[in-house]
Amino acid sequence: MPGETSTPSTPSPGTPRPSGPCVLLKHGEIFLKGRNRHRFTERLHGNLRHALRDIGGSTWIKSGQNVTVLGGEVSPDVLVEHARRVIGFNSVEPALRVPSAVADITKAAVDALAAARAERPGISFAVRVKRRDKSFEMTSSQFERFLGARVREALGALPVNLSHPDVRVSVEIDHEESYVSWTRHPGAGGLPVGSSGRALVLLSGGYDSPVAAYRAMRRGLHCDFVHFTGAPYTNAASVYKAYALARELNRYQPGGRLHVIALGHAQKQLAIAGAGRLQVVAQRRLMVRAASALAGRTRAEALVTGDSLGQVASQTLANMAAVDEAATLPVLRPLVGWEKQEIIDEARSIGTAEISVLPDEDCCKLLAPPRVSLRAGLTDLRSVEKRLDLDDLVDSLLRDVQIMYPGESDGETAPGADRPDGGPAPDRPGPAVCATAPSAAVSS
């Protein structure tokens, strides 16, 4: 059925010889893992299967040594597009799958270079061979020289450049089948999403927090999101942005949930309590308190923020320490040493920049003082907080949390993945179809 994936067994004697297009997915950091490498590989393949859902045709996945082979009744270009979003693969290479016979491999290599020369006359080439089947009749270096000679015989004196070729034909020889590739696309790299646990990302509408979320995913964290709005004193524009950002980020992981919390009344209470220049840091402390409590319901083991040291007044070292003191979980800051332009460039590359520039009403600017304290003291912050019932305030924030499911294309979700408490999935309305109508995917 469409979107279904399977891992075929090794062909038995008498089965048709392998042939046809496929995609080679080279593993990233997991090749460094030891005895538990198979667990990372299983997670990686699970994420790949999720990325292939609803792709429009049947697909298959075959596992090799530090490589995954992907194929099926789908265009290789479509397979490449989906596979490049899966974190954990270093490179994505369209290839031809041929029998492990000299004649078949040679023909594939010659045909590949003939096609490349037709598009770009005068190209140089090199051949690289990796021989996993040590019983193959030639060594890797011998077969490289053999293939190079056959190519020049067939196509004329095609220039050879072993250091910086225009086209590098790679041949990987296995026992039953071999793979010939000549095009490489960079993969996302990193560790498979979910292999390091779960995190809750404090997602605003700017450049920083979506990039921080993506960087956390690349370290193996499966991310859910929490967005704080200034409602009822601000409009819903920031929610639309957060939904669109979460939907874009969910292209890189199995669907993360978006939790929306209205912070406006609580911000006003902080202002009435006399926060003054401490207002921004005090409300960030309240955010991490609420996020820590929410993380307990979503089984998250850390919080993630888009803070960059010294970027704004609230992100001085002293103010970061003051915010951390209010959290009950580790607060991870993947961008702490990044410059703003680096963050913007990364946002463009992952597809969130165009969303982040859209106008909205940022809750952090609500009731913000003209000048923010650069070194908010814990004694002063606690004095303000003592004028409020923080436990009751956090409980009230979480009572009204809205849960959204950005990017889901159907009504099916893994058991226990929909409720903040990890319980059975509730009945839900159909998924939202656009970022301008997130309420269609909301449950309370």
Side-chain angles (χ1 to χ4, degrees), residues 350-378:
I350 65 175
T352 59
E354 292 184 358
I355 303 169
S356 294
V357 297
L358 297 174
D360 71 337
E361 293 191 51
D362 183 2
C363 77
C364 292
K365 297 178 182 178
L366 180 66
L367 303 175
R371 297 182 62 188
V372 176
S373 174
L374 300 179
R375 295 185 61 86
L378 285 176

Side-chain angles (χ1 to χ4, degrees), residues 125-189:
F125 82 100
V127 178
R128 293 289 179 263
V129 174
K130 180 180 291 186
R131 189 180 57 135
R132 292 194 175 94
D133 177 11
K134 302 305 181 183
S135 66
F136 190 74
E137 56 194 271
M138 285 183 263
T139 66
S140 296
S141 57
Q142 288 172 341
F143 199 36
E144 288 174 353
R145 292 192 293 270
F146 175 87
L147 286 176
R150 300 293 82 75
V151 166
R152 288 169 65 87
E153 285 177 7
L155 304 180
L158 204 62
V160 175
N161 186 332
L162 299 180
S163 301
H164 302 287
D166 296 316
V167 177
R168 186 182 72 177
V169 177
S170 293
V171 178
E172 301 197 15
I173 302 171
D174 220 325
H175 290 81
E176 296 291 340
E177 57 195 33
S178 295
Y179 310 97
V180 180
S181 62
W182 56 95
T183 304
R184 284 160 199 80
H185 303 283

Side-chain angles (χ1 to χ4, degrees), residues 102-303:
V102 170
D104 294 285
I105 298 172
T106 301
K107 182 179 185 306
V110 171
D111 290 348
L113 280 165
R117 187 180 67 170
E119 294 180 359
R120 302 183 318 179
I123 59 171
S124 61
F125 82 100
V127 178
R128 293 289 179 263
V129 174
K130 180 180 291 186
R131 189 180 57 135
R132 292 194 175 94
D133 177 11
K134 302 305 181 183
S135 66
F136 190 74
E137 56 194 271
M138 285 183 263
T139 66
S140 296
S141 57
Q142 288 172 341
F143 199 36
E144 288 174 353
R145 292 192 293 270
F146 175 87
L147 286 176
R150 300 293 82 75
V151 166
R152 288 169 65 87
E153 285 177 7
L155 304 180
L158 204 62
V160 175
N161 186 332
L162 299 180
S163 301
H164 302 287
D166 296 316
V167 177
R168 186 182 72 177
V169 177
S170 293
V171 178
E172 301 197 15
I173 302 171
D174 220 325
H175 290 81
E176 296 291 340
E177 57 195 33
S178 295
Y179 310 97
V180 180
S181 62
W182 56 95
T183 304
R184 284 160 199 80
H185 303 283
L191 294 172
V193 172
S195 61
S196 298
R198 301 180 69 93
L200 184 62
V201 179
L202 278 68
L203 186 67
S204 69
Y207 288 111
D208 303 348
S209 57
V211 174
Y214 176 72
R215 283 283 152 175
M217 292 175 194
R218 292 188 72 240
R219 299 317 307 154
L221 288 171
H222 182 278
C223 293
D224 288 315
F225 312 99
V226 58
H227 175 70
F228 293 91
T229 80
Y233 306 113
T234 58
N235 62 31
S238 74
V239 182
Y240 299 152
K241 282 183 69 175
Y243 182 90
L245 288 168
R247 183 176 62 181
E248 193 67 26
L249 290 166
N250 279 345
R251 296 168 67 236
Y252 302 98
Q253 67 168 7
R257 292 159 293 178
L258 172 64
H259 303 78
V260 178
I261 296 177
L263 196 67
H265 286 311
Q267 291 176 275
K268 188 173 182 179
Q269 289 184 53
L270 285 170
I272 294 172
R277 291 183 61 187
L278 303 175
Q279 175 77 24
V280 172
V281 179
Q283 64 193 30
R284 287 180 67 85
R285 280 170 60 89
L286 182 56
M287 288 179 187
V288 299
R289 287 182 194 276
S292 296
L294 180 60
R297 302 182 184 184
T298 63
R299 302 192 299 276
E301 303 165 86
L303 305 180

